[in-house]
């Protein structure tokens, strides 16, 4: 259960597919415009699935369905690429005035 002030992530539908402009690609027109936002919970408490309000880091107030408490980043830069180590080594030598 999230408490007031906890950092959370919410989801909301900004525009339903039928409300979107005709000036976008056909495949895009078929999809709702969705928003995911992180911010501090403004309600006293809430559970995942509740509709809540958050204040974002920029000071905006947004509402949506509570998805996650204490969200974290899950992206990466992919698998290890051994060639990068060789490139790094060569660049350091070049920048130090060595090999050309």
């Amino acid at each position: 259960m999230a408490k007031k002030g906890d950092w959370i992530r919410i989801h909301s539908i900004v525009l339903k597919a039928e409300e979107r402009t005709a000036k976008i690609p056909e495949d895009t027109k078929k999809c709702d415009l969705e928003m995911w936002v992180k911010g501090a919970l403004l309600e006293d408490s809430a559970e995942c699935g509740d509709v809540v309000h958050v204040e974002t880091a920029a000071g905006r107030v947004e509402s949506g369905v509570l998805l996650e408490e204490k969200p974290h980043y899950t992206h990466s830069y992919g698998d290890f690429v051994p060639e990068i180590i060789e490139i790094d080594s060569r660049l350091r030598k070049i920048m130090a005035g060595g090999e050309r």
Side-chain angles (χ1 to χ4, degrees), residues 73-86:
Y73 295 104
T74 58
H75 65 278
S76 75
Y77 295 102
D79 295 334
F80 174 71
V81 179
E83 292 82 4
I84 298 294
I85 300 300
E86 179 63 27

Side-chain angles (χ1 to χ4, degrees), residues 15-22 24 28-29 31-34:
L15 289 172
K16 295 279 188 192
E18 60 272 8
E19 298 171 327
R20 298 188 73 174
T21 182
I24 57 178
T28 305
K29 282 185 214 176
C31 301
D32 293 341
L33 178 61
E34 301 178 76

Side-chain angles (χ1 to χ4, degrees), residues 38-79:
K38 295 176 188 171
L41 179 63
L42 296 178
E43 278 75 18
D44 290 332
S45 64
E47 304 257 351
C48 284
D50 291 348
V51 175
V52 297
H53 295 84
V54 298
E55 182 175 348
T56 69
R60 294 187 341 261
V61 174
E62 300 288 347
S63 65
V65 176
L66 173 56
L67 294 180
E68 181 181 9
E69 298 175 46
K70 300 177 182 134
H72 60 280
Y73 295 104
T74 58
H75 65 278
S76 75
Y77 295 102
D79 295 334

